[in-house]
Amino acid sequence: MSESQPALHGFMRSDGRKGIRNVVVVAYLVECAHHVSRRISSHFDDLDVHLIGFPGCYPNEYAGAMMRAVCTHPNVGAVLLVSLGCESMDRDALRAAVAASGRPVELLVIQERGGTRASIANGIALVDGMRRQLAAQQPVPMALSELVVGTICGGSDGTSGITANPAVGRCFDKLVERDVACVFEETGELIGCENIMAERAVNPELGGLIQACVAKAERYYRTMGFGSFAPGNADGGLTTLEEKSMGAYSKSGSSPISGLIKPGDVPPSGGLYLLDVVPDGEPRFGFPNIADNAEIVEMIACGCHLTLFTTGRGSVVGSAISPVLKICANPETYQRLADDMDINAGRILTGEASLDEVGDDIYRAVLAVAGGERSVSEALGHQEFILTYKSFEPIGPGCLPVRHVS
């Protein structure tokens, strides 16, 4: 096995994508069904039974599209939908979409099943049957180029932009060279970097669209009265929005930017993609993402098999559906939170490793997790999931320029 062509295996889905995990999802369709769903999933105490859901009751096109995307993510093998019975989520359409993907899917309506106890018992039996079905499924060979990898930074401090973030950029460059689709976010944290990113776009039209989407983010945050620079960033030694933006930007590496996508858009091929998470139109639902996990969910909806999470001040979260790899920027934070971290990028600061060496460490960790090894947060049982209201317009043709193969 060579480093450039690792022997990966995945679970084949009907749309041609392959998953690096084969999880059963228990999905609540309104907050009123959350407790029943949680009791069903927690009964199994299993790393491959995941709880997700949407808490809202009134309809939202974005929320419906996101639920379809995550329930048919390649890492998902089967789905139990849990409905109270009177919410506005179109449960029948969601069930039909999952069924059309070839996955086992069941719908449990609490109002029709006799309430809490009866629904929990019925749901446990349904999930148990799904697990037996998935146990018989055999993995198939998977190329490295079939992976989609995302990255996010959270709890950034003064070390993030000089250790963990640029080390992820080195890893991204290596993955893009091998035709892996890599997704970085977010336009609200990249204000001031729009012209640099436009210069890296594969054509001028895409460059202009990148500049426009960052300008949209700037307007949005100005209207909300609060930007991406948080008090915790200042406490961690970051001095200006420019410093934070450049640090966040360094996660993208130096490869050409192949496209601009929105939540739920799956990259059509290998390359580097910018994810625009700031809603279109006037602010309607508050801040674009109320926590880091909201962005992770959006990257999952874009098909990311796993996410590289850089942090300076520290974070203990993971995610449902797709594994999270933690890269710690600050050596002091790593000493305190080593049990929650996968990579110590603080070694760059102490002179124990170079950016390239840590980038190679992250690359190898990506291959290991894609190959079935559990990330730290995954092994600890972290399955955070947040889905809120948003509104997006479809991307235009210039967002995904056609790749010409010579």
Side-chain angles (χ1 to χ4, degrees):
M1 181 181 74
S2 68
E3 184 180 276
S4 59
Q5 294 294 327
L8 301 178
H9 290 82
F11 297 94
M12 176 61 77
R13 310 304 180 195
S14 65
D15 62 3
R17 296 186 294 171
K18 298 169 187 172
I20 63 172
R21 298 292 185 269
N22 205 20
V23 304
V24 177
V25 158
V26 180
Y28 57 91
L29 306 185
V30 67
E31 184 62 24
C32 307
H34 192 164
H35 174 73
V36 168
S37 303
R38 183 175 62 249
R39 291 293 297 272
I40 293 169
S41 62
S42 63
H43 169 84
F44 294 93
D45 192 25
D46 190 286
L47 296 178
D48 290 325
V49 178
H50 292 198
L51 175 67
I52 71 169
F54 177 62
C57 191
Y58 67 89
N60 180 250
E61 184 177 343
Y62 160 83
M66 293 291 287
M67 287 296 288
R68 289 192 296 275
V70 297
C71 286
T72 57
H73 185 279
N75 287 354
V76 174
V79 180
L80 172 64
L81 302 175
V82 185
S83 161
L84 174 63
C86 54
E87 69 277 355
S88 295
M89 176 69 71
D90 190 342
R91 59 180 183 265
D92 293 326
L94 180 56
R95 181 185 188 181
V98 178
S101 75
R103 292 166 173 80
V105 57
E106 297 286 351
L107 173 63
L108 177 64
V109 182
I110 297 170
Q111 291 171 346
E112 299 173 2
R113 291 287 179 173
T116 298
R117 287 190 178 91
S119 296
I120 292 171
N122 189 236
I124 289 171
L126 291 171
V127 171
D128 196 45
M130 291 175 177
R131 294 175 76 221
R132 288 195 297 271
Q133 285 181 268
L134 295 187
Q137 189 173 355
Q138 296 299 312
V140 299
M142 179 176 179
L144 178 61
S145 59
E146 294 179 89
L147 277 180
V148 184
V149 181
T151 187
I152 181 176
C153 50
S156 299
D157 70 4
T159 69
S160 298
I162 55 178
T163 60
N165 289 357
V168 166
R170 297 290 204 279
C171 174
F172 260 29
D173 286 342
K174 197 166 185 175
L175 290 169
V176 170
E177 284 178 6
R178 289 154 177 80
D179 210 28
V180 174
C182 293
V183 180
F184 73 106
E185 51 70 52
E186 61 152 318
T187 49
E189 290 191 345
L190 294 169
I191 294 169
C193 301
E194 58 271 20
N195 294 332
I196 306 171
M197 291 190 292
E199 291 174 358
R200 291 172 58 191
V202 293
N203 65 39
E205 183 183 5
L206 176 61
L209 291 169
I210 290 173
Q211 291 171 317
C213 81
V214 176
K216 177 189 69 172
E218 186 175 13
R219 290 191 302 272
Y220 194 105
Y221 279 108
R222 188 185 303 116
T223 301
M224 295 300 299
F226 187 82
S228 68
F229 193 89
N233 298 142
D235 292 342
L238 283 169
T239 59
T240 62
L241 177 62
E242 289 80 6
E243 183 183 8
K244 183 178 182 183
S245 292
M246 288 303 295
Y249 167 76
S250 66
K251 299 195 308 298
S252 67
S254 59
S255 303
I257 298 176
S258 298
L260 173 66
I261 59 177
K262 297 182 182 182
D265 296 323
V266 177
S269 60
L272 180 65
Y273 297 83
L274 172 62
L275 175 59
D276 176 12
V277 303
V278 176
D280 295 321
E282 295 302 314
R284 297 171 57 196
F285 303 113
F287 290 104
N289 283 309
I290 59 175
D292 295 322
N293 281 95
E295 291 178 41
I296 293 176
V297 168
E298 291 179 328
M299 286 190 287
I300 291 170
C302 293
C304 289
H305 291 90
L306 56 91
T307 299
L308 306 178
F309 190 132
T310 67
T311 182
R313 302 205 67 194
S315 174
V316 299
V317 301
S319 78
I321 299 176
S322 293
V324 167
L325 269 162
K326 292 285 190 38
I327 300 103
C328 187
N330 190 318
E332 294 179 359
T333 302
Y334 185 83
Q335 286 182 342
R336 293 192 301 272
L337 296 173
D339 287 347
D340 283 276
M341 300 297 159
D342 295 275
I343 302 288
N344 179 13
R347 293 180 298 135
I348 298 167
L349 206 61
T350 60
E352 300 170 78
S354 67
L355 273 174
D356 285 331
E357 288 170 335
V358 174
D360 288 343
D361 288 345
I362 299 169
Y363 175 80
R364 285 189 289 269
V366 168
L367 299 187
V369 170
E373 184 177 305
R374 300 283 184 179
S375 72
V376 170
S377 63
E378 190 181 13
L380 287 170
H382 282 283
Q383 296 181 9
E384 287 81 0
F385 188 94
I386 302 172
L387 181 56
T388 58
Y389 286 95
K390 282 189 176 183
S391 179
F392 285 97
E393 299 295 331
I395 60 172
C399 293
L400 295 173
V402 178
R403 293 181 66 188
H404 297 287
V405 180
S406 57

